[in-house]
Amino acid sequence: MPMMKNMKKNLILFTASILLFSLLSSCTEKATPKLIENSDGSVTITRIDEDGKAIKFNKKFDGYKNVTEINLAQCSKSNPVTIDLSAFEGKDLELRLSCDLLIKDESGRENKLIWLINEIEEDFPKLYDRKVESGKWISINKALTVHLAGKRQLYISGTGLNKDTAKIYIKNFTLKLSGEGLTKDAPPPVNWLEAKSLHESLSDYFDYFGFCVSYNNSFREPLLQKGLPYQASCVTMENEFKPDFILGGSRPSKLTEFKGEDGKLYAVPAELPSFKQMDSILSDMQKLGLKLRGHTLVWHSQTPAWFFQKNYGKDGENQLVNSNEMNARMEWYIKTVLEHTARWEKENNGGKHMIIAWDVVNEAASDNASDFRYLRDESSSKWFAIYKDESFIVNAFRYANKYAPKDVKLVYNDYGCASINKNKAICKIIDAIQACPDARIDAAGMQTHIGINDSAENFEKAVKNFLAKDINVQITEMDVANGASGYNAMKLKECYKNYFTMFLRNRKEQDKKGIEGITLWGVRDEWTWLNGMHKGHTQYPLLFRGSNFECKPAFYGVLEAVSDSKASDAK
């Protein structure tokens, strides 16, 4: 038995050595890649393949040991270094290339060094592309994400190299490939109860983190209710706090009187039966230990048409009321909703807030904003059709400030905030609110419905424009559409990591305005609203998938952003 154990031990060591020092491809031939598998399921390629004449390993050069020398004049292929990636055909990969490299050219000329992948469908993505001086070491530490549609290679392009007079020297070469299910030893996906808590991971940086939830549909799923208080601290109802749901579908049967700001009495609904559902939502979230964002009080959409019509649309009346009467209806509605919430909190939660923020006005800016016309016009907004200007927005924030507790955040919420013209339009709206002495706005709500290739840097400019208004920012409805493109798990991960890195960089701190909270618009892919927006193209925009709420690579992208931020703060 001892002899058998020693034989097995030696075999394992021998196999590990072969894997560690396997040579993957050469100037003259392609070889099937032999890879080192890491505990996280990724693979690391540690050396390029050996060719007796063109490539020599373990050379002593320039005071270093273990340097790989590549003599370009002796390479028979046009591309002097090729690493075979054919084993990963059809996979989504994140590639991280690191090495130190020197090109020594007898002629003294510059050489153009290009590391790239021959992935035609992604236009030959490059990891490195620049001219380098002869005789100077450069450090390369680059990453990219790519879908390999076929049998592909990573290689140094011969284009731009002086093949007759130059040699390439490489040390500390590592290529790490990460991807979902990349190797046979990849860990199985975990559900959101087994993974780290995003809420806990982000709690040092943001006041809250949460998700949009449909109370009338998905909320009853047991695993959702188990995971929400672990992964989140706050939720937004997808529909149930919108005017359509609070006011109810049918016009009011009973009316009472409400005194408007002009001193006149106006007819308003005598009761709001849908408050029963609001109370149920508050009760269920209280049991789970979750707070809520209120979404939304004033919106051109999902508000009954009769709310704007004379006599509430009775007997076919469709003429709109004037602005004075609409002011009374708006103030009555905001007062009724906010006072009902406060009463519930006092009676059932010791007066502590369940709703920590309200989207007071939603999506009032025009998609085609200009310096002169920056609001939605009468063709898409009955609010604008009645008021003809931004006064309805200002009044909404006046009324909300009048009836909301001072520590409940009042938010203007919109999409497309990174668009230059729309960003300017929203800034004009903020200016109008701030110019009114009895109005209050605490934050700009940035919906953050983005595409997988959208720039976090461009979005950051919009964030800073809002912060310059001396208000905070809330990320209110984030999801990432792949649009007409196929799903790429690693690109989605990269996108979430980039955006959360930017969020962390611009977080609210003591005596500094910033991003104070983040909400993702949905929990798992199967529930996303985006499939209706991109018909014929399935969307995969969120951090979890499947009935088991499996964590996608994008989930770990968020955690990596947090880890990098902590490391940066520690320096």
Side-chain angles (χ1 to χ4, degrees):
M1 289 299 291
M3 182 177 294
M4 288 296 294
K5 287 183 178 179
N6 287 335
M7 289 177 65
K8 288 182 179 179
K9 182 178 180 181
N10 290 336
L11 179 60
I12 291 171
L13 290 173
F14 177 71
T15 303
S17 299
I18 290 176
L19 284 171
L20 181 62
F21 296 107
S22 39
L23 307 174
L24 302 179
S25 70
S26 69
C27 300
T28 56
E29 294 183 17
K30 295 177 185 176
T32 301
K34 297 179 181 178
L35 310 169
I36 299 170
E37 298 187 358
N38 301 309
S39 59
D40 64 357
S42 64
V43 296
T44 306
I45 300 170
T46 57
R47 287 179 66 173
I48 54 178
D49 208 356
E50 181 176 10
D51 178 275
K53 295 181 180 180
I55 301 181
K56 296 181 180 178
F57 294 99
N58 302 318
K59 296 275 292 184
K60 292 182 179 180
F61 176 76
D62 202 26
Y64 299 103
K65 298 178 181 179
N66 301 322
V67 176
T68 299
E69 177 188 83
I70 303 163
N71 188 336
L72 298 184
Q74 294 180 335
C75 283
S76 59
K77 292 280 187 177
S78 58
N79 301 319
V81 174
T82 302
I83 299 166
D84 187 10
L85 303 177
S86 60
F88 310 108
E89 180 179 4
K91 294 286 187 181
D92 300 333
L93 302 179
E94 178 186 58
L95 297 92
R96 292 190 173 273
L97 170 67
S98 64
C99 68
D100 298 306
L101 187 147
L102 178 146
I103 297 180
K104 185 175 181 180
D105 194 327
E106 293 178 2
S107 69
R109 292 181 293 171
E110 287 185 331
N111 281 255
K112 188 164 188 178
L113 178 65
I114 305 173
W115 284 93
L116 75 158
I117 299 174
N118 60 338
E119 177 46 68
I120 302 170
E121 293 187 8
E122 299 204 20
D123 198 25
F124 293 84
K126 296 176 182 177
L127 275 151
Y128 193 89
D129 181 5
R130 69 180 61 175
K131 290 182 178 180
V132 297
E133 293 183 42
S134 175
K136 288 190 176 181
W137 284 102
I138 59 172
S139 292
I140 299 173
N141 192 350
K142 298 292 183 179
L144 64 78
T145 57
V146 64
H147 174 77
L148 300 182
K151 298 185 183 301
R152 306 301 188 219
Q153 293 81 41
L154 169 67
Y155 57 91
I156 294 178
S157 172
T159 304
L161 296 174
N162 302 323
K163 298 177 184 177
D164 295 331
T165 56
K167 292 182 179 179
I168 298 175
Y169 296 88
I170 301 175
K171 62 186 180 74
N172 303 326
F173 176 88
T174 300
L175 176 67
K176 185 172 183 179
L177 312 178
S178 302
E180 192 173 24
L182 196 62
T183 73
K184 59 179 172 46
D185 292 335
V190 299
N191 72 40
W192 68 340
L193 287 172
E194 300 166 334
K196 280 189 176 182
S197 164
L198 290 174
H199 154 53
E200 292 177 3
S201 299
L202 294 164
S203 61
D204 289 340
Y205 302 101
F206 303 106
D207 293 346
Y208 67 86
F209 172 79
F211 303 94
C212 158
V213 174
S214 173
Y215 188 76
N216 291 326
N217 294 310
S218 57
F219 180 71
R220 297 305 167 191
E221 191 160 330
L223 192 53
L224 176 71
Q225 293 192 28
K226 287 181 181 179
L228 273 177
Y230 176 60
Q231 290 291 349
S233 60
C234 183
V235 297
T236 301
M237 291 295 106
E238 184 175 20
N239 290 302
E240 289 82 0
F241 281 8
K242 292 173 181 175
D244 255 351
F245 287 77
I246 299 296
L247 289 167
S250 58
R251 64 178 59 90
S253 57
K254 295 180 181 180
L255 298 175
T256 187
E257 291 182 330
F258 182 81
K259 189 174 183 179
E261 288 187 298
D262 60 359
K264 295 181 179 180
L265 295 175
Y266 293 97
V268 296
E271 59 182 16
L272 289 175
S274 293
F275 273 151
K276 292 179 181 178
Q277 185 176 71
M278 175 181 271
D279 292 351
S280 295
I281 292 170
L282 292 169
S283 179
D284 283 342
M285 298 309 150
Q286 180 193 47
K287 292 173 185 175
L288 294 176
L290 294 165
K291 302 297 184 183
L292 289 141
R293 293 188 76 263
H295 177 74
T296 173
L297 293 171
V298 173
W299 191 22
H300 66 275
S301 181
Q302 287 188 261
T303 302
W306 53 255
F307 189 60
F308 303 95
Q309 295 167 351
K310 289 185 176 182
N311 203 22
Y312 294 101
K314 187 177 180 181
D315 299 326
E317 177 67 70
N318 59 15
Q319 187 175 352
L320 301 178
V321 299
N322 61 38
S323 58
N324 286 334
E325 185 165 359
M326 201 67 230
N327 278 340
R329 293 185 184 187
M330 187 203 307
E331 182 178 1
W332 162 82
Y333 179 75
I334 291 174
K335 176 180 186 291
T336 303
V337 173
L338 295 183
E339 287 186 344
H340 180 89
T341 302
R343 186 162 52 252
W344 190 97
E345 291 171 340
K346 182 178 180 180
E347 295 173 357
N348 300 280
N349 203 44
K352 295 180 181 179
H353 300 317
M354 286 294 299
I355 300 179
I356 60 174
W358 275 97
D359 292 329
V360 178
V361 177
N362 194 47
E363 299 175 359
S366 171
D367 291 342
N368 302 303
S370 67
D371 290 338
F372 304 103
R373 296 293 298 269
Y374 60 93
L375 300 178
R376 288 181 177 272
D377 61 22
E378 57 274 5
S379 66
S380 63
S381 170
K382 289 185 173 62
W383 290 106
F384 188 87
I386 292 171
Y387 288 84
K388 307 298 184 185
D389 58 24
E390 72 281 354
S391 58
F392 78 91
I393 304 172
V394 175
N395 286 346
F397 279 88
R398 288 177 57 238
Y399 303 146
N401 185 38
K402 184 177 179 180
Y403 298 108
K406 298 307 177 187
D407 54 346
V408 169
K409 301 297 179 70
L410 304 182
V411 183
Y412 174 80
N413 190 52
D414 217 325
Y415 63 89
C417 298
S419 164
I420 294 174
N421 287 339
K422 193 159 186 180
N423 188 266
K424 289 180 180 178
I426 297 170
C427 285
K428 286 178 183 288
I429 290 171
I430 295 169
D431 289 341
I433 299 167
Q434 291 181 324
C436 182
D438 59 339
R440 168 168 65 95
I441 179 171
D442 300 300
M446 303 180 72
Q447 292 187 11
T448 321
H449 297 297
I450 56 174
I452 200 166
N453 295 314
D454 286 353
S455 165
E457 288 72 22
N458 286 342
F459 195 94
E460 185 172 24
K461 294 175 185 176
V463 171
K464 291 184 179 298
N465 287 341
F466 294 147
L467 298 182
K469 299 295 180 183
D470 198 33
I471 60 175
N472 290 309
V473 165
Q474 296 182 3
I475 305 301
T476 57
E477 304 182 20
M478 184 179 184
D479 49 25
V480 183
N482 46 274
S485 302
Y487 170 53
N488 186 315
M490 303 313 292
K491 277 193 174 180
L492 185 69
K493 176 186 177 183
E494 179 185 44
C495 183
Y496 268 101
K497 182 176 180 180
N498 287 343
Y499 271 81
F500 269 77
T501 298
M502 183 267 292
F503 297 158
L504 288 158
R505 188 165 56 240
N506 292 280
R507 65 186 180 269
K508 183 181 74 173
E509 298 180 271
Q510 188 173 4
D511 302 322
K512 175 189 170 186
K513 300 295 183 182
I515 297 172
E516 59 184 356
I518 301 171
T519 302
L520 303 187
W521 204 245
V523 179
R524 58 184 180 94
D525 288 341
E526 292 80 2
W527 294 335
T528 181
W529 71 292
L530 288 170
N531 285 331
M533 294 288 291
H534 301 271
K535 293 182 178 178
H537 302 281
T538 303
Q539 303 300 299
Y540 304 88
L542 299 167
L543 303 184
F544 307 97
R545 69 179 179 197
S547 59
N548 202 36
F549 294 80
E550 292 177 353
C551 300
K552 296 164 56 179
F555 172 88
Y556 299 101
V558 175
L559 293 179
E560 287 177 15
V562 176
S563 178
D564 290 350
S565 180
K566 287 182 178 179
S568 178
D569 292 345
K571 291 181 181 178

